[in-house]
């Protein structure tokens, strides 16, 4: 395949860094690279302002660190200054490439509008299936060939946050010879063939695991976070029950036409995995409860705040392929939906509401996708058929190659979070043991967004692991 075409579309400097914006032309489908169907992938190259000028980006000779964002379906925020992880990486001698993964940001973004031209549900499903980690990694490799074409060093390094870490392990499986150092923050993926082990671990009150060799470090993380929430805000037990009782008997419309159902309100628990996420949910619970007590309905202001807190309308790729990011040769079959029914005493409103004890809490859910979301979220409704096709798809290609991971020569360091409700810790530890030389830091110091909360601490520890500067 010919080297990808590219162009630099803009250059500017902000507070100590110069940013070059690139567009790379790559195949839509790497199984049919000569079909002629191309997409454009966007990236920002960030270098110290004193080491490059707007006419010669290659003046900077620093090694590359490519950053892959969490998701699926989230773009990289534009760096506005030499701060945070950008500062940490530049201070360690790198230039940074912030990639908008395909389907996000400026990289062939997926939205209701862009999917309308794809016709039938089957055509939409086929298109959406091309936006997983395998295609993202192929894009990265094409970009590496372009940017390092004239460089003596043909390898680059990678920092993957959350789903970006999933992509990093796929990269190690597909192109291990292209990577020098790999840093993974909250994103060592399970190497299973589907999502069932993940949701079993996140839902279950049991320490029985679906992967027989998994270490029994912890379980029931979503339940633990719910318990912590209600311990911190005990009055919210009754407030949440009252709110859900109201939603179960009233159709509550959100500003964009979505429906605030019982299940959708419970999905606010997605924030429990982030620092201060419980406080954010508590404020919404308090406001909705106040509205019902004083006004007798949930006001427009509160409904607007709830809608803004839930990003599935603005990130439909996340909802459509979230379970598919785990699939290798088997369908997801709505994994979160199926396994939730086994734990109804905690998560199902109709089960808990019938309990005579009003002090029994109704739990929020976590990072799970349910069929009802394709009715409740306005932008997802027309994708209901495509989502059903994706959930039953059986021919998902492989994402990981364990023999290749067993012998990789890239240096790999990872942080996994003990209380992570997004990426199961037990399965991450098992997966890390399959990556040759991977050094893993397991900590309860942070939640899933530790890289954002304290990039100096997280990256500092990972670089020390890379350099073996630990006992």
């Amino acid at each position: 395949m010919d080297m990808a075409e590219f162009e630099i579309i803009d250059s500017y400097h902000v507070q100590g860094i110069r940013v070059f914006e690139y567009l790379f032309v790559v195949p839509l489908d790497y199984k049919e690279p000569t079909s002629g169907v191309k997409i454009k992938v966007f990236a920002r190259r960030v270098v110290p302002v004193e080491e490059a000028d707007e006419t010669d980006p290659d003046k900077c000779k620093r090694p590359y660190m490519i950053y892959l964002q969490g998701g699926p379906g989230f773009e990289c925020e534009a760096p506005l200054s030499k701060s945070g992880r950008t500062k940490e990486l530049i201070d360690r001698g790198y230039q940074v490439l912030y990639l908008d993964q395909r389907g996000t940001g400026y990289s062939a973004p997926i939205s209701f509008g862009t999917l309308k031209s794809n016709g039938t549900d089957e055509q939409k499903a086929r298109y959406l299936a091309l936006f997983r980690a395998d295609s993202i990694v192929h894009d990265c490799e094409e970009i590496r060939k372009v940017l390092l074409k004239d460089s003596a060093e043909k390898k680059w390094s990678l920092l993957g946050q959350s789903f970006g870490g999933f992509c990093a392990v796929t990269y190690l499986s597909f192109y291990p010879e292209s990577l020098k150092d790999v840093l993974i923050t909250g994103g060592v993926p399970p190497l299973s063939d589907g999502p069932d082990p993940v949701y079993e671990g996140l839902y279950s009150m049991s320490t029985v695991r679906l992967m027989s060799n998994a270490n029994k470090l912890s379980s029931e993380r979503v339940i633990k976070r719910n318990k912590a929430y209600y311990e911190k805000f005990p009055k919210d037990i009754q407030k949440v029950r009252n709110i859900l009782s109201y939603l179960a008997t009233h159709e509550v419309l959100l500003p964009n036409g979505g429906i605030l159902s019982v299940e959708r309100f419970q999905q606010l628990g997605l924030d429990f995995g982030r620092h201060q996420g419980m406080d954010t949910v508590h404020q919404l619970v308090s406001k909705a409860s106040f509205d019902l007590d004083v006004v007798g309905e949930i006001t427009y202001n509160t409904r607007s705040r709830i809608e803004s807190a839930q990003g599935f309308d603005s990130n439909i790729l996340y909802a459509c392929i979230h379970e598919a990011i785990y699939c290798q040769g088997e369908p997801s079959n709505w994994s979160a939906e199926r396994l939730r029914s086994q734990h109804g005493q905690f998560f199902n409103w109709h089960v808990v509401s019938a309990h005579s004890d009003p002090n029994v809490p109704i739990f929020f859910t976590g990072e799970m996708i349910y069929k009802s979301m394709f009715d409740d979220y306005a932008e997802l409704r027309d994708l209901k058929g495509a989502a059903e096709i994706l959930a039953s798809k059986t021919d998902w290609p492989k994402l990981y190659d364990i023999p290749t991971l067993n012998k990789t020569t890239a240096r790999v360091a990872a942080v996994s979070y003990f209380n992570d409700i997004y990426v199961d810790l037990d399965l991450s530890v098992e997966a890390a043991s399959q990556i040759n030389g991977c050094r893993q830091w397991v900590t309860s110091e942070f939640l899933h967004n530790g890289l954002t909360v304290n990039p100096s601490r997280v990256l500092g520890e990972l670089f020390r692991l890379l350099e073996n500067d630990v006992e």
Side-chain angles (χ1 to χ4, degrees):
M1 188 169 62
D2 295 336
M3 192 169 292
E5 300 175 5
F6 77 98
E7 61 176 321
I8 300 174
I9 59 173
D10 203 356
S11 170
Y12 52 89
H13 73 269
V14 289
Q15 296 188 19
I17 56 175
R18 177 161 288 279
V19 180
F20 298 93
E21 295 185 343
Y22 286 75
L23 281 177
F24 301 89
V25 180
V26 299
L28 170 65
D29 187 351
Y30 282 92
K31 288 184 178 179
E32 300 178 1
T34 60
S35 68
V37 182
K38 306 287 186 180
I39 61 172
K40 292 182 178 180
V41 172
F42 174 85
R44 295 181 179 92
R45 180 180 177 182
V46 180
V47 302
V49 69
E50 67 274 9
E51 293 184 29
D53 59 56
E54 59 185 293
T55 61
D56 184 17
D58 291 330
K59 177 183 175 182
C60 181
K61 302 301 182 183
R62 290 172 173 237
Y64 277 95
M65 177 71 77
I66 180 172
Y67 176 74
L68 297 181
Q69 175 66 292
F74 293 106
E75 69 269 24
C76 282
E77 294 183 359
L80 300 179
S81 66
K82 183 183 174 183
S83 60
R85 61 175 172 267
T86 300
K87 179 180 186 302
E88 293 300 318
L89 295 172
I90 286 178
D91 286 351
R92 291 179 180 276
Y94 293 97
Q95 57 180 313
V96 188
L97 190 72
Y98 285 109
L99 180 73
D100 278 357
Q101 299 161 22
R102 57 166 55 201
T104 76
Y106 295 99
S107 296
I110 297 289
S111 69
F112 172 74
T114 61
L115 284 176
K116 281 195 295 187
S117 62
N118 280 277
T120 66
D121 290 339
E122 289 77 9
Q123 289 170 321
K124 291 174 183 176
R126 280 199 298 272
Y127 186 74
L128 288 164
L130 298 173
F131 289 78
R132 297 196 313 156
D134 46 355
S135 296
I136 293 167
V137 165
H138 292 315
D139 291 342
C140 291
E141 184 61 7
E142 291 304 302
I143 293 169
R144 183 195 64 82
K145 292 175 184 177
V146 170
L147 294 180
L148 299 183
K149 177 171 66 72
D150 298 322
S151 174
E153 175 59 75
K154 300 301 182 185
K155 296 184 178 184
W156 62 2
S157 297
L158 188 156
L159 169 59
Q161 159 65 17
S162 190
F163 174 68
F166 288 37
C167 295
V169 177
T170 300
Y171 208 147
L172 284 167
S173 297
F174 288 8
Y175 303 106
E177 69 283 354
S178 299
L179 296 170
K180 182 180 179 182
D181 295 332
V182 175
L183 306 175
I184 300 173
T185 56
V188 180
L191 302 180
S192 55
D193 290 332
D196 279 14
V198 176
Y199 293 119
E200 179 66 24
L202 295 176
Y203 275 134
S204 181
M205 287 293 285
S206 170
T207 57
V208 176
R209 307 307 306 229
L210 296 185
M211 294 183 68
S212 59
N213 293 325
N215 295 303
K216 309 300 189 296
L217 289 181
S218 61
S219 65
E220 58 185 78
R221 289 181 188 82
V222 176
I223 291 174
K224 286 181 177 179
R225 295 300 291 167
N226 272 279
K227 289 181 175 179
Y229 175 83
Y230 284 120
E231 287 173 2
K232 184 173 185 179
F233 304 111
K235 292 185 177 180
D236 282 8
I237 293 175
Q238 192 58 55
K239 289 179 182 178
V240 169
R241 290 177 68 104
N242 292 342
I243 293 166
L244 296 186
S245 180
Y246 178 83
L247 295 177
T249 55
H250 295 76
E251 183 179 67
V252 178
L253 295 181
L254 295 170
N256 75 343
I259 298 172
L260 184 56
S261 65
V262 167
E263 285 198 348
R264 180 161 179 171
F265 192 86
Q266 288 176 280
Q267 289 155 20
L268 290 169
L270 183 62
D271 262 352
F272 284 179
R274 305 184 182 103
H275 287 270
Q276 297 183 327
M278 290 184 182
D279 304 283
T280 299
V281 174
H282 170 67
Q283 293 304 316
L284 294 173
V285 168
S286 293
K287 187 60 170 61
S289 177
F290 174 84
D291 289 350
L292 292 177
D293 288 344
V294 175
V295 185
E297 64 179 22
I298 300 176
T299 63
Y300 181 93
N301 175 273
T302 303
R303 286 181 279 129
S304 178
R305 289 170 60 183
I306 291 171
E307 180 181 281
S308 297
Q310 298 176 313
F312 294 106
D313 282 314
S314 57
N315 186 1
I316 63 177
L317 183 61
Y318 181 100
C320 288
I321 70 165
H322 185 266
E323 291 195 350
I325 68 174
Y326 298 101
C327 293
Q328 302 184 97
E330 68 175 47
S332 68
N333 284 330
W334 297 104
S335 177
E337 181 109 357
R338 286 185 289 105
L339 292 172
R340 177 179 181 168
S341 66
Q342 300 175 20
H343 306 284
Q345 69 272 35
F346 305 109
F347 297 102
N348 289 344
W349 154 250
H350 296 293
V351 174
V352 183
S353 62
H355 201 287
S356 59
D357 186 351
N359 295 315
V360 173
I362 299 167
F363 287 172
F364 292 86
T365 52
E367 190 177 40
M368 293 108 178
I369 303 299
Y370 302 111
K371 290 183 180 182
S372 64
M373 296 170 70
F374 291 84
D375 293 315
D376 291 343
Y377 291 84
E379 292 293 300
L380 296 182
R381 287 172 186 155
D382 283 350
L383 295 172
K384 191 173 184 177
E388 287 285 358
I389 293 169
L390 290 168
S392 62
K393 181 178 170 64
T394 59
D395 60 346
W396 293 107
K398 295 289 287 185
L399 296 170
Y400 312 113
D401 185 282
I402 292 178
T404 300
L405 294 173
N406 289 165
K407 59 186 180 184
T408 184
T409 58
R411 300 191 305 175
V412 183
V415 57
S416 295
Y417 304 113
F418 191 81
N419 293 311
D420 199 331
I421 70 168
Y422 306 131
V423 180
D424 184 77
L425 176 60
D426 299 354
L427 301 182
S428 288
V429 170
E430 171 67 15
S433 72
Q434 298 291 332
I435 303 172
N436 183 46
C438 178
R439 301 180 71 92
Q440 188 175 26
W441 173 37
V442 177
T443 179
S444 59
E445 188 174 343
F446 303 104
L447 297 175
H448 186 73
N449 57 339
L451 180 63
T452 299
V453 172
N454 195 334
S456 176
R457 170 78 172 110
V458 171
L459 289 176
E461 185 64 27
L462 293 185
F463 278 109
R464 280 191 288 275
L465 288 173
L466 281 186
E467 301 297 337
N468 295 319
D469 188 22
V470 293
E471 293 295 333

